């Protein structure tokens, strides 16, 4: 909540308190002369109270939204960390596979069939696709 909002809330609360005091005075005097002011003050208390509750409700929604945003940000950080770990594992697996024994496969198109060795990037993509399917 900003200082302006706090000041506005304080001002509204002071107005409510002022009108309550005025109502107490009118009730103590018990005179029909103040009947219009009495109704006016009651109406103003109701209006200011409504505005005050709306401001407080809005502040609650903002706090809730901030909490949700923070929670989502933390979840995204965790997921990013997990993705980086998986990417590193896949990279290490691809290195290990290439170092132990190159993987060959047969590629076929309409013109020819030939044996080729899979590159590290192709191996990584293969494992990434497997992880994605899970």
């Amino acid at each position: 909540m900003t200082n302006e909002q706090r000041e506005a809330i304080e001002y509204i609360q002071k107005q409510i308190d002022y009108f309550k005091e005025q109502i107490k005075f009118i009730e103590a005097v018990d005179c029909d002369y103040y009947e219009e002011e009495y109704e006016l003050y009651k109406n103003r208390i109701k209006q200011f109270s409504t505005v005050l509750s709306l401001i407080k409700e809005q502040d609650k929604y903002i706090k809730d939204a901030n909490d949700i945003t923070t929670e989502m940000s933390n979840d995204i950080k965790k997921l990013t960390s997990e993705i980086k770990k998986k990417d590193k594992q896949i990279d290490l697996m691809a290195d290990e596979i290439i170092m132990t024994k190159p993987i060959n496969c047969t590629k076929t198109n309409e013109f020819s069939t030939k044996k080729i060795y899979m590159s590290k990037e192709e191996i990584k993509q293969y494992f990434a696709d497997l992880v994605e399917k899970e």
Side-chain angles (χ1 to χ4, degrees):
M1 185 178 296
T2 66
N3 284 336
E4 285 180 342
Q5 290 169 322
R6 281 190 202 96
E7 289 172 5
I9 288 172
E10 288 174 17
Y11 175 79
I12 292 170
Q13 187 60 55
K14 285 179 184 177
Q15 292 299 310
I16 292 171
D17 295 341
Y18 170 78
F19 290 121
K20 284 181 179 179
E21 288 298 318
Q22 293 300 313
I23 287 174
K24 284 181 188 176
F25 170 76
I26 292 170
E27 289 172 344
V29 172
D30 194 27
C31 178
D32 291 340
Y33 178 77
Y34 296 111
E35 195 62 37
E36 287 182 28
E37 285 85 356
Y38 183 77
E39 291 302 317
L40 176 70
Y41 296 157
K42 281 177 48 177
N43 191 29
R44 286 190 177 166
I45 289 173
K46 182 179 175 184
Q47 291 169 343
F48 281 124
S49 295
T50 301
V51 170
L52 189 59
S53 68
L54 289 172
I55 292 171
K56 289 179 179 179
E57 189 175 325
Q58 179 187 13
D59 188 50
K60 180 187 176 300
Y61 286 133
I62 290 170
K63 285 179 183 175
D64 290 348
N66 287 339
D67 290 346
I68 290 169
T69 302
T70 301
E71 195 175 307
M72 289 175 67
S73 177
N74 291 338
D75 289 345
I76 289 170
K77 287 176 185 175
K78 287 178 187 176
L79 287 172
T80 303
S81 175
E82 288 177 20
I83 289 169
K84 285 180 182 178
K85 285 179 186 175
K86 285 185 180 183
D87 286 347
K88 188 171 184 172
Q89 288 174 339
I90 290 170
D91 196 45
L92 292 171
M93 290 168 61
D95 284 341
E96 185 67 28
I97 289 169
I98 288 174
M99 288 171 53
T100 56
K101 182 180 178 188
I103 298 177
N104 62 37
C105 64
T106 305
K107 281 199 171 179
T108 306
N109 63 26
E110 57 188 305
F111 302 110
S112 68
T113 300
K114 61 180 177 179
K115 280 193 167 189
I116 61 164
Y117 290 105
M118 291 177 72
S119 69
K120 180 179 177 179
E121 291 304 313
E122 290 172 318
I123 293 169
K124 285 170 60 176
Q125 186 60 50
Y126 171 78
F127 285 114
D129 291 343
L130 283 178
V131 169
E132 198 172 285
K133 287 179 184 176
E134 291 179 1

